[in-house]
Amino acid sequence: MSQITIGLALGSGGAKGLAHIGVIKTLEKYDIPIDFIAGSSIGALVGAYYSSHKDSKSLEDIALGFNKRKGFSLFDLSFRGGFIKGKKIESFIGELLDKESFDKLLIPFSAVATDFITAEPVIINSGNLTQAVRASISVPSFFQPLSVQGRLLADGGLSNPVPVEVVRKMGADIVIAVNLDNSYLEDHESNDTGLSLAELPLYSVNILRYHLALHSAKTADLVISPNVYLRGIIGWNDFFDTVRAKEIIKVGEEATEKIIPDIQKLIRERQAGNGVRGFIPQLSALFKRIKIS
């Protein structure tokens, strides 16, 4: 059968992105190949590491060993353009990735950032890998935007939170998207409408993220939507909490387990379809030879 290539579009979402690790672990478990990866924000960080090492176990070990002491040691405070300059984070990312160049990756990878001046999504798939990831995770106000080749780059989730079309253009026949913004409320079952003034801006931003992520993911062949809010509100502190990190990773595993039969079925269908399409030209050529004879 013809080889079908699979692309993974890893969405933005802060600490919710730990669920990406569970997704990748489960795809590995069922021998689902990952031929291309594109990521926004935390999706870029996870995607770049896996593209560089192709090892979900070491990725999980790093995530579970990232305590508060180590995390806060990477904060170089600033009050211009963002609370964190990002130089220490950039060095840390460089150590994690081990390789500075896209062309040395084991899996083709693209990072998505946003031009802070033009609002355009910026696809980075060449040059300095560390800077590409640093740009993609630059949440406004939290991180200073990064200047790259004359462009001021910020978080990829601002313009393309689930980069489906990016990974499709890389050559993927099947695109699996991971949407971490599939719910705009931490407790969407709640009927409580008594939001405080402090909560309203946050929920308004969540609604915007929810709709933008739906729009970005709509052309995917399959969408994995980990229900991270089953484990309660997810905040930045969860990067530093081993118990919570394990729970979020587990949510990614559970969501992917549910969709594995759909993935396997789609792969079989596409392989069969490719086989038929490849056979038709051969059959046509055979008929022509018979007619000439």
Side-chain angles (χ1 to χ4, degrees):
M1 289 186 180
S2 302
Q3 178 65 38
I4 295 295
T5 58
I6 297 176
L8 198 57
L10 300 178
S12 60
K16 293 182 291 184
L18 293 168
H20 289 320
I21 300 173
V23 171
I24 293 171
K25 280 180 63 180
T26 308
L27 293 176
E28 283 185 338
K29 175 182 173 182
Y30 288 93
D31 296 319
I32 306 295
I34 301 173
D35 301 294
F36 304 95
I37 299 177
S40 284
S41 200
I42 184 63
L45 179 56
V46 172
Y49 183 90
Y50 189 73
S51 295
S52 178
H53 296 82
K54 216 172 180 179
D55 183 357
S56 65
K57 178 63 170 62
S58 66
L59 177 57
E60 183 175 27
D61 289 344
I62 290 168
L64 297 180
F66 198 69
N67 55 36
K68 287 184 180 179
R69 183 176 180 180
K70 185 179 293 185
F72 286 117
S73 73
L74 300 177
F75 288 6
D76 42 6
L77 297 180
S78 168
F79 296 99
R80 293 188 61 188
F83 291 122
I84 296 175
K85 293 178 183 177
K87 292 294 184 183
K88 290 183 179 180
I89 292 284
E90 191 171 324
S91 296
F92 175 70
I93 292 171
E95 292 173 10
L96 282 182
L97 298 181
D98 200 30
K99 298 165 183 164
E100 292 285 333
S101 175
F102 280 83
D103 58 14
K104 293 181 181 179
L105 294 174
L106 301 177
I107 300 173
F109 168 74
S110 293
V112 179
T114 303
D115 188 311
F116 209 66
I117 306 303
T118 67
E120 296 173 323
V122 178
I123 315 306
I124 311 174
N125 51 27
S126 62
N128 189 305
L129 179 63
T130 298
Q131 281 198 342
V133 174
R134 158 68 173 90
S136 186
I137 67 169
S138 298
V139 179
S141 296
F142 194 68
F143 286 107
Q144 288 183 352
L146 186 68
S147 180
V148 178
Q149 297 180 351
R151 304 186 82 169
L152 195 61
L153 302 183
D155 191 277
L158 294 171
S159 58
N160 192 352
V162 192
V164 169
E165 289 307 309
V166 175
V167 77
R168 194 180 299 283
K169 288 178 181 178
M170 292 170 71
D173 297 310
I174 294 173
V175 177
I176 301 170
V178 185
N179 181 6
L180 302 175
D181 287 311
N182 51 82
S183 177
Y184 60 87
L185 295 177
E186 280 78 6
D187 180 10
H188 64 278
E189 300 295 334
S190 173
N191 292 318
D192 180 17
T193 56
L195 296 176
S196 69
L197 282 176
E199 290 175 313
L200 285 173
L202 175 61
Y203 279 90
S204 298
V205 170
N206 284 347
I207 290 171
L208 290 172
R209 289 173 59 92
Y210 168 77
H211 285 289
L212 183 56
L214 279 182
H215 178 76
S216 293
K218 69 180 181 180
T219 58
D221 296 288
L222 293 164
V223 180
I224 299 172
S225 300
N227 189 358
V228 289
Y229 292 133
L230 279 175
R231 300 304 197 265
I233 297 173
I234 306 298
W236 285 100
N237 283 343
D238 291 308
F239 276 123
F240 315 133
D241 186 329
T242 300
V243 174
R244 294 283 285 162
K246 284 182 179 178
E247 291 178 343
I248 300 168
I249 291 170
K250 184 67 175 175
V251 170
E253 293 178 51
E254 293 167 350
T256 310
E257 285 278 356
K258 291 178 182 178
I259 206 170
I260 286 294
D262 295 328
I263 296 173
Q264 293 171 330
K265 179 183 177 183
L266 184 57
I267 291 173
R268 289 193 299 269
E269 290 174 350
R270 293 292 176 86
Q271 285 176 331
N274 268 14
V276 170
R277 283 193 292 272
F279 179 68
I280 289 174
Q282 297 175 26
L283 190 62
S284 176
L286 177 61
F287 283 141
K288 284 181 180 179
R289 287 199 296 272
I290 292 173
K291 188 175 181 180
I292 292 172
S293 337

